[in-house]
C-alpha cells in the first residue's frame, strides 16, 4: 500500500470503495477514485505527483476493477506546474533534469509510469473531467480508457506552445481517438477544444 501522508505530499488522494458483487458472485469488486488534490494550483502537476500516480498503480489492490481520475475543485488539471520551468521552481520539488543529463530517459520513463498503468487490461479507467485539462492533465485524461466531460470541460495539448514535447504518453491515444490529421492539428496549434467539439471529434 501507499501511505496517505506520501500521497498528500504528492498532491494526491486515493479512496477505495468496495462493493459486493451481484448475488452469486464469489468476490467483492472495488472502485478506486484518484483525486488530483492541489486545487490552490488548479491541480497543476509535478514530477512528485507523477511518481505518486505510479505508486498508486503499483499498490492498487487486486479487487479494484474501476479507477476514476478526477480533480479537486473546479478544474481537472492545469497541466505542469509552470514554476518548474522557472528559476525558483516548486517548493519541495526537485528541479526538472536537463535532457542532456545521463539518466534523463529513465527519469521520463518513471514519470510516464504514472500514466501508463491506467491502460492495464484488468481495470477500466475513467477520467472525470470538468474545467480545464491542459497539457499533462489532458495527457492523463487520454491515458484512461474512457473520458466523461462536464459541459464546461476544455482540453488543450499545450506543450508545443511552451517549446516542450508532449511525452507523457498522451499522443498515441489522441491519434487513436481523433485520427492522425486532427491530432497533429491539435498538437501543432495548441488550441483549446471545448466539450462540445471534443464530443464531435
Amino acid at each position: 500500500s501507499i501511505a496517505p501522508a506520501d500521497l498528500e505530499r504528492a498532491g494526491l488522494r486515493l479512496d477505495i470503495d468496495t462493493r459486493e458483487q451481484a448475488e452469486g458472485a464469489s468476490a467483492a469488486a472495488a472502485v478506486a477514485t484518484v483525486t488530483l488534490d492541489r486545487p490552490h494550483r488548479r491541480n497543476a502537476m509535478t514530477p512528485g505527483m507523477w511518481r505518486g500516480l505510479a505508486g498508486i498503480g503499483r499498490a492498487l489492490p487486486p479487487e479494484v476493477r474501476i479507477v476514476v481520475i478526477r480533480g479537486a475543485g473546479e478544474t481537472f488539471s492545469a497541466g505542469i506546474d509552470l514554476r518548474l520551468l522557472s528559476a525558483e521552481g516548486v517548493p519541495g520539488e526537485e528541479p526538472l533534469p536537463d535532457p542532456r543529463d545521463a539518466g534523463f530517459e529513465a527519469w521520463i520513463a518513471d514519470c510516464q509510469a504514472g500514466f501508463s498503468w491506467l491502460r492495464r487490461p484488468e481495470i477500466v479507467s475513467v477520467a472525470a473531467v470538468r474545467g480545464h485539462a491542459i497539457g499533462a492533465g489532458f495527457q492523463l485524461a487520454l491515458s484512461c480508457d474512457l473520458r466523461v466531460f462536464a459541459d464546461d470541460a476544455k482540453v488543450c495539448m499545450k506543450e508545443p506552445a511552451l517549446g516542450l514535447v508532449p511525452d507523457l504518453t498522451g499522443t498515441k491515444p489522441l491519434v487513436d481517438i481523433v485520427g492522425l490529421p486532427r491530432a497533429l492539428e491539435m498538437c501543432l496549434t495548441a488550441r483549446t477544444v471545448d466539450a462540445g467539439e471534443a464530443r464531435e471529434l
Side-chain angles (χ1 to χ4, degrees):
S1 66
I2 187 165
D6 291 338
L7 288 177
E8 184 178 355
R9 274 191 295 277
L12 296 166
R13 194 169 68 242
L14 174 64
D15 301 291
I16 297 179
D17 182 10
T18 302
R19 301 173 187 267
E20 292 302 317
Q21 290 183 344
E23 189 174 344
S26 60
V31 176
T33 300
V34 179
T35 303
L36 310 180
D37 198 16
R38 299 180 74 218
H40 60 289
R41 296 291 303 169
R42 296 175 62 225
N43 302 316
M45 304 177 93
T46 65
M49 182 180 280
W50 300 329
R51 283 193 290 274
L53 287 167
I56 289 172
R58 286 191 299 271
L60 204 66
E63 64 269 21
V64 169
R65 290 291 173 263
I66 299 171
V67 176
V68 177
I69 307 286
R70 60 181 292 274
E74 298 179 355
T75 198
F76 184 76
S77 174
I80 190 170
D81 191 321
L82 292 177
R83 294 177 300 172
L84 287 164
L85 305 178
S86 68
E88 70 264 16
V90 175
E93 276 283 342
E94 64 188 71
L96 295 178
D98 189 303
R100 297 165 293 191
D101 291 347
F104 179 75
E105 290 182 12
W107 183 86
I108 289 289
D110 286 345
C111 294
Q112 290 173 338
F115 295 67
S116 58
W117 69 271
L118 291 161
R119 301 188 190 101
R120 292 200 320 232
E122 71 271 21
I123 61 172
V124 175
S125 55
V126 182
V129 180
R130 62 178 178 175
H132 288 86
I134 305 297
F138 185 26
Q139 292 191 71
L140 183 61
L142 288 165
S143 294
C144 293
D145 297 312
L146 302 170
R147 284 144 299 282
V148 178
F149 283 10
D151 289 343
D152 70 345
K154 292 179 173 59
V155 299
C156 173
M157 195 67 84
K158 190 71 172 176
E159 287 87 346
L162 301 172
L164 302 173
V165 174
D167 55 6
L168 293 170
T169 80
T171 51
K172 176 65 165 66
L174 182 61
V175 170
D176 292 343
I177 294 164
V178 304
L180 180 59
R182 183 62 68 204
L184 270 173
E185 183 265 333
M186 289 175 68
C187 289
L188 293 175
T189 63
R191 70 183 181 86
T192 299
V193 174
D194 64 22
E197 184 182 359
R199 182 173 55 244
E200 292 172 8
L201 294 176

